[in-house]
Amino acid sequence: MIKNISNLGDAALYCDFGTEVNKEINRNVINYFNNLRDSNFLGITNITPSYNKLVISFDLKLTSFAKLKKQVENLELKKNNNSKNNLIKIPVCCAEEFALDIKRLQKLLKINEAKIYETFFSKNYYCYMTGFIAGMPFLGDMDKSLFAKRLETPRVKVPKNSIGITEQFCNIYTFESPGGWNIIGSTPLEIFNKDNQDDPALINPGDKVKFKQITKDEYDKIKS
């Protein structure tokens, strides 16, 4: 549950669920997010969930910090309506042209390329949040043997659809962007489609993701 609610600037509530990053806390964040989204509280303009925080932006002309804080504290939570447990399957090509940091990872982790990919593709990942760039999913939890620091010097441009890993998380770059994550492959799928007004993001907080390794020919076929 929420441990503390404080001001974030003049027109936002900062809801703190704790300092740990785990599924239990994140599911509480997402539960509040879903219930607030369905609440129709006057004045809310945006709700932004993260691993263990929730930011609620509001219009000062329509409500106030004190009023909205009380509404959030007294919110009657319905059953977690994010319990669909969607499993999203993502094909990934690890050809040399896409695996920009695989050699770096072999040296850093002291395990060979085959073992890195075997470990990476062996489990399901949980989407804690999306952000940084539109629709980018932050997926945990990596096997500890693959924990790696970010690049010392971030890239100016990471190609769209790149799969990156760092520490306990992996992600998918939904647009070309600066970034310092270790890139191990690319997916041919469109992870974020701004033209889809109903649900532009293929992966949403609370979803599970299963990566599947594919060949370059398979990649090209799906891409086309």
Side-chain angles (χ1 to χ4, degrees):
M1 296 296 106
I2 298 176
K3 292 190 174 184
N4 183 53
I5 300 177
S6 57
N7 283 98
L8 184 63
D10 294 330
L13 274 69
Y14 181 80
C15 304
D16 183 5
F17 289 75
T19 57
E20 295 182 35
V21 177
N22 59 51
K23 293 184 181 70
E24 182 180 355
I25 289 178
N26 187 253
R27 286 184 180 121
N28 284 330
V29 174
I30 295 171
N31 195 22
Y32 267 89
F33 170 77
N34 288 328
N35 277 273
L36 283 166
R37 190 173 51 181
D38 297 338
S39 69
N40 295 317
F41 288 158
L42 184 66
I44 292 179
T45 57
N46 193 45
I47 311 170
T48 308
S50 70
Y51 304 126
N52 47 30
K53 306 291 186 288
L54 188 69
V55 174
I56 307 168
S57 303
F58 61 90
D59 187 338
L60 281 166
K61 296 177 183 177
L62 299 175
T63 189
S64 66
F65 171 81
K67 181 178 179 180
L68 192 53
K69 179 175 182 287
K70 186 173 182 180
Q71 288 177 311
V72 173
E73 289 173 337
N74 295 326
L75 179 65
E76 185 176 343
L77 294 173
K78 299 175 185 176
K79 184 178 180 181
N80 193 331
N81 50 11
N82 193 63
S83 58
K84 302 174 190 175
N85 292 322
N86 291 331
L87 178 63
I88 314 296
K89 296 181 180 180
I90 305 294
V92 179
C93 179
C94 302
E96 186 175 354
E97 64 187 277
F98 300 133
L100 305 180
D101 296 306
I102 192 64
K103 292 181 180 178
R104 175 182 186 272
L105 287 171
Q106 288 182 82
K107 293 179 181 178
L108 191 66
L109 302 174
K110 296 181 173 56
I111 51 180
N112 62 38
E113 177 179 334
K115 186 62 177 177
I116 290 173
Y117 286 128
E118 178 188 345
T119 303
F120 177 77
F121 287 107
S122 67
K123 63 181 299 183
N124 294 346
Y125 297 89
Y126 174 85
C127 182
Y128 281 92
M129 60 175 280
T130 59
F132 177 61
I133 54 178
M136 175 187 276
F138 285 74
L139 308 167
D141 296 278
M142 294 286 295
D143 188 280
K144 289 185 177 180
S145 66
L146 299 185
F147 280 21
K149 295 181 179 179
R150 288 174 170 81
L151 304 182
E152 289 79 4
T153 303
R155 289 186 173 88
V156 176
K157 292 181 179 180
V158 177
K160 178 182 177 180
N161 291 351
S162 292
I163 311 297
I165 68 173
T166 191
E167 297 170 353
Q168 73 185 77
F169 296 104
C170 58
N171 70 6
I172 306 171
Y173 283 80
T174 50
F175 293 89
E176 181 179 86
S177 164
W181 291 46
N182 300 278
I183 305 304
I184 62 169
S186 178
T187 179
L189 297 187
E190 193 75 12
I191 303 301
F192 184 84
N193 181 358
K194 61 182 177 59
D195 295 325
N196 185 343
Q197 298 298 318
D198 294 331
D199 194 0
L202 178 62
I203 303 168
N204 292 288
D207 287 342
K208 293 179 181 178
V209 171
K210 177 68 175 178
F211 292 107
K212 177 186 177 182
Q213 190 168 6
I214 60 174
T215 65
K216 182 60 165 59
D217 286 343
E218 290 172 315
Y219 178 95
D220 291 337
K221 184 179 292 186
I222 296 172
K223 194 77 173 174
S224 62

